[in-house]
Amino acid sequence: MCKTTVGVPLAPFHGPLPAVAAMITDHRRIDTLTGVRVCAARRSCMIVGMSLTNGEISGVAADMDEGRARERDRRYVWHPWSPVGGADQDGPVLVSGQGYRVRDAAGREYLDAMASAMNASCGHAHPALIAAAERQMSLLPHFDLSVGTHLPVGRAAERIGALLPQGLDRTLFVNSGSEATEAAVRIAHNYWTNKGEPRNRIVTFAAGYHGTTYVAQHLSGLPTNAVYGGEPFPVTRVRPSLPPRELRTPEALPVLVEEFERAVLDGTPPAAVFVEALLNVGGGVILPDGFLRALRDLCDRTGALLIVDEVFCGFGRTGRMFGFEHDGVAPDLVTMSKGLSGGYVPFAALTTTEAVYSSFAADPLIGGLRYGHTTGGHAVACAVACAVLDVIEERKLVEASAVLGEQLLAGLRPLLDHPEVSDVRGLGLVATVECARPEAAADLVAGARAHGVLLRRQGTAVMAIPPLVIDESGVAELVRVTGQALAAL
């Protein structure tokens, strides 16, 4: 291992150190990006445990004490989706990652079967993504897209448009899936107003999840997403009569389609039908083949826009570039995030048709969309997104997701013999072990973590969502440890 003068470890270089690496060794004060440039240029090394502040490399060895880190965290950090108090906030204190593995402050290594926040599509510490960010930072971090443009935003929009069905080629960039949802609802409402035929009702799944802004939470019927105050617009939430383990069967298709038809036809004409391609937070629920095709037909008959939320599924997660491709449909609007930037920078997008876009010429105030964010379409994020798409294509990660996903599902299916397991299902690199009780699900996740695998829990559903760069040995380890943790219940 090579080290800086303050003891920050660097992964080994292969071959002679470049001059800039020697500078790191000899000088305390450096350009904050020098270390990243070294690794990005070499593609064979990665700096870990480095903290850079005001141009200095600070020794982080003293900061690696796990107890001290937890104490500081409990004192100052407000964790989302977590009980106030912090007494039970004993999750790992992570300091570094490589590929599909992460390491905590105590030196423990984990297989990251959560893909971080379900967004580490290309894995951790990918040199091409770091290089893309550094290169764009050195040129132009960002510029306000309401008064000008920059090169990466056009490139990113063009790349996304080339991946989507023909006609979906107008993209708005935001910072998160929640913001993409907010924008999609606003665009759907305004589209009908622009046409002189106002509509504002949205039809969706009660167990759907589209983010945590006020509008996004209002769409959902999940108890944790309940909002307080007046209803900003009407939402019809469909609660399937069949349990999750039956929804993916051919027999479920006519039942689910009929339930959505009733929701769409019973009431004022909806502005849009807004659904996920796979219900993620709602329990890793797989929908029956042909469902999105039926929704497309229903929307065509009623004029409603079809909005498909690909925030979770998009960019290879389900074994296709987009989840809706399994049904061969073209939505009117698509929301995207997570895998688009690989978790390296906050980034999200909404793509729609020229018909929807051009309708905004009728806006009475500015003749365009009155919506946007300070860092929407951030130049660095756009550059990273283009690099992510390069990695996905070059490494054929979509195809790998389909193949390795089948291996993962085949390995987990025998868990159905356990009395605490009610279903095992999967699509691409999304595998769900549904437990009979929430307590069993929590114990399964805890047991897997104790053996070096981080799984995600949504109620009674335990989900394995590894980075798309996982390999066969990683899948085998994931299956083995999950089985061991279940057997120990």
Side-chain angles (χ1 to χ4, degrees):
M1 299 288 285
C2 57
K3 294 187 176 183
T4 67
T5 53
V6 290
V8 180
L10 307 182
F13 286 94
H14 300 288
L17 290 174
V20 70
M23 185 181 74
I24 292 178
T25 304
D26 296 336
H27 300 281
R28 180 176 180 83
R29 296 189 63 85
I30 65 167
D31 177 354
T32 56
L33 286 170
T34 298
V36 174
R37 289 195 188 101
V38 173
C39 289
R42 299 289 301 178
R43 287 178 174 258
S44 58
C45 74
M46 182 48 54
I47 297 173
V48 294
M50 179 176 284
S51 176
L52 299 170
T53 306
N54 297 326
E56 291 193 12
I57 296 179
S58 60
V60 296
D63 199 37
M64 295 288 282
D65 178 78
E66 188 175 27
R68 180 181 175 184
R70 290 191 187 282
E71 180 182 355
R72 182 176 59 234
D73 192 89
R74 288 172 177 153
R75 172 66 182 85
Y76 296 107
V77 179
W78 190 339
H79 286 263
W81 299 104
S82 304
V84 171
D88 59 346
Q89 289 174 358
D90 61 348
V93 180
L94 299 174
V95 297
S96 64
Q98 186 74 46
Y100 57 84
R101 298 186 185 277
V102 292
R103 187 181 297 272
D104 70 11
R108 292 179 290 258
E109 187 177 271
Y110 302 91
L111 190 159
D112 179 12
M114 299 170 54
S116 182
M118 301 175 285
N119 58 357
S121 52
C122 297
H124 302 279
H126 197 293
L129 307 189
I130 295 170
E134 188 273 333
R135 184 168 53 249
Q136 187 57 45
M137 283 181 183
S138 69
L139 294 171
L140 178 73
H142 186 45
F143 196 80
D144 187 344
L145 294 179
S146 69
V147 296
T149 192
H150 50 72
L151 295 179
V153 73
R155 293 173 184 148
E158 183 179 42
R159 293 288 297 277
I160 291 171
L163 295 173
L164 289 165
Q166 185 175 4
L168 284 164
D169 50 18
R170 188 66 71 165
T171 298
L172 172 73
F173 290 108
V174 287
N175 303 289
S176 69
S178 296
E179 288 182 8
T181 293
E182 192 97 6
V185 170
R186 183 172 190 133
I187 287 170
H189 286 165
N190 288 2
Y191 166 75
W192 288 104
T193 299
N194 295 338
K195 286 170 61 69
E197 307 168 25
R199 299 186 184 189
N200 66 351
R201 186 166 68 98
I202 306 291
V203 177
T204 188
F205 276 103
Y209 177 90
H210 302 284
T212 57
T213 60
Y214 190 83
V215 164
Q217 287 193 310
H218 175 56
L219 290 176
S220 179
L222 292 171
T224 52
N225 271 37
V227 295
Y228 306 98
E231 184 176 83
F233 53 88
V235 176
T236 302
R237 304 174 186 86
V238 176
R239 300 180 185 276
S241 57
L242 298 174
R245 64 180 177 273
E246 295 180 22
L247 269 182
R248 64 183 180 275
T249 65
E251 295 76 19
L253 179 61
V255 177
L256 189 58
V257 170
E258 182 182 0
E259 290 170 341
F260 265 83
E261 283 187 342
R262 287 202 304 268
V264 169
L265 300 175
D266 184 15
T268 59
V273 176
F274 200 149
V275 296
E276 299 167 271
L278 177 155
L279 304 186
N280 171 25
V281 179
V285 181
I286 298 170
L287 304 173
D289 289 343
F291 172 67
L292 290 180
R293 282 197 302 274
L295 278 193
R296 176 72 275 175
D297 292 342
L298 180 60
C299 289
D300 289 343
R301 283 188 279 124
T302 60
L305 297 174
L306 176 59
I307 307 174
V308 178
D309 183 334
E310 291 279 348
V311 167
F312 172 66
C313 293
F315 305 100
R317 177 54 59 186
T318 69
R320 299 286 183 91
M321 184 61 74
F322 297 101
F324 61 73
E325 291 181 7
H326 291 279
D327 269 4
V329 301
D332 297 298
L333 296 94
V334 182
T335 58
M336 300 158 275
S337 187
K338 297 191 183 298
L340 177 56
S341 66
Y344 285 71
V345 283
F347 196 50
L350 177 149
T351 301
T352 189
T353 64
E354 191 66 23
V356 171
Y357 170 77
S358 61
S359 76
F360 280 77
D363 175 78
L365 296 182
I366 68 170
L369 176 64
R370 287 178 276 125
Y371 183 88
H373 297 271
T374 300
T375 51
H378 194 274
V380 175
C382 289
V384 171
C386 289
V388 166
L389 296 180
D390 287 340
V391 172
I392 289 174
E393 292 173 6
E394 291 167 5
R395 293 197 53 178
K396 300 187 184 302
L397 294 183
V398 177
E399 296 86 343
S401 176
V403 173
L404 293 173
E406 285 294 334
Q407 295 178 16
L408 176 59
L409 187 58
L412 293 176
R413 278 197 183 103
L415 303 186
L416 277 167
D417 294 334
H418 195 283
E420 287 286 5
V421 175
S422 58
D423 191 28
V424 174
R425 52 185 178 263
L427 187 64
L429 281 173
V430 184
T432 301
V433 177
E434 185 178 341
C435 295
R437 301 176 300 118
E439 295 81 6
D443 290 343
L444 175 55
V445 170
R449 177 186 161 192
H451 289 86
V453 170
L454 300 178
L455 296 169
R456 189 172 189 89
R457 182 169 76 93
Q458 312 281 19
T460 58
V462 175
M463 300 178 68
I465 312 163
L468 303 186
V469 295
I470 197 169
D471 52 24
E472 289 187 355
S473 65
V475 168
E477 179 183 347
L478 174 52
V479 168
R480 175 177 55 79
V481 171
T482 304
Q484 290 174 343
L486 183 65
L489 295 185

